[in-house]
Amino acid sequence: MRENNDLISVAQAKLNPHRVGDRLFGDVAAALETTTGAIHAGVCIDTGSGTGFCAEHAAIASMVTSGEYAIARIVAVWQDAKGGLTVLAPCGRCREFIRQMDPSNIETTIILSHGRTAPLHDLIPEWEWPEPEPPVPF
């Protein structure tokens, strides 16, 4: 697998902010590497009425379109107006989306900064479906 800084650079290269009215498209980008080594990227789309999606969703959609589902590692980035780059942890919705693509994705490496990573299972506590509660005696 490539170094994490390389995947961060792939995501950064996809940043392409575009404003339409009060909405901003492409200001967050994500890149992922599948377990086969393929790289996929995507950007966020902020639309009204909650119909938009995060950059991670776009990258995952690209991956699924290519017939893959298992993610080795993933990163999202945002760049401010002065060029400062921020690595972003996936939101809760994205964490669950990653998990549901493939059972093995609970082990996906989430890039949290240039020098910090965590497996997805550390970011989703209580991710397993619980066992039924035993009957309560009356």
Side-chain angles (χ1 to χ4, degrees):
M1 287 189 213
R2 297 172 182 92
E3 294 296 320
N4 290 335
N5 287 344
D6 289 349
L7 198 60
I8 292 169
S9 293
V10 169
Q12 184 178 11
K14 299 299 180 184
L15 290 168
N16 188 20
H18 176 72
R19 186 167 297 282
V20 175
D22 65 342
R23 299 296 176 178
L24 189 58
F25 308 140
D27 65 319
V28 175
L32 65 82
E33 181 178 20
T34 67
T35 56
T36 67
I39 302 294
H40 296 275
V43 298
C44 70
I45 297 181
D46 176 26
T47 61
S49 304
T51 59
F53 48 84
C54 297
E56 293 93 335
H57 285 219
I60 291 168
S62 171
M63 173 189 71
V64 170
T65 300
S66 294
E68 294 195 71
Y69 302 90
I71 304 168
R73 59 194 180 121
I74 190 167
V75 66
V77 299
W78 172 78
Q79 194 164 355
D80 66 28
K82 296 179 182 178
L85 189 70
T86 301
V87 174
L88 304 171
C91 70
R93 181 175 177 230
C94 287
R95 293 173 194 192
E96 183 61 22
F97 195 69
I98 292 164
R99 187 190 72 79
Q100 289 190 26
M101 287 299 112
D102 189 90
S104 68
N105 287 346
I106 198 66
E107 299 298 330
T108 295
T109 298
I110 307 298
I111 301 168
L112 299 169
S113 69
H114 279 64
R116 193 170 142 242
T117 64
L120 182 61
H121 63 75
D122 284 0
L123 303 179
I124 306 179
E126 303 296 327
W127 60 272
E128 293 184 273
W129 193 259
E131 294 295 321
E133 292 292 320
V136 178
F138 292 100

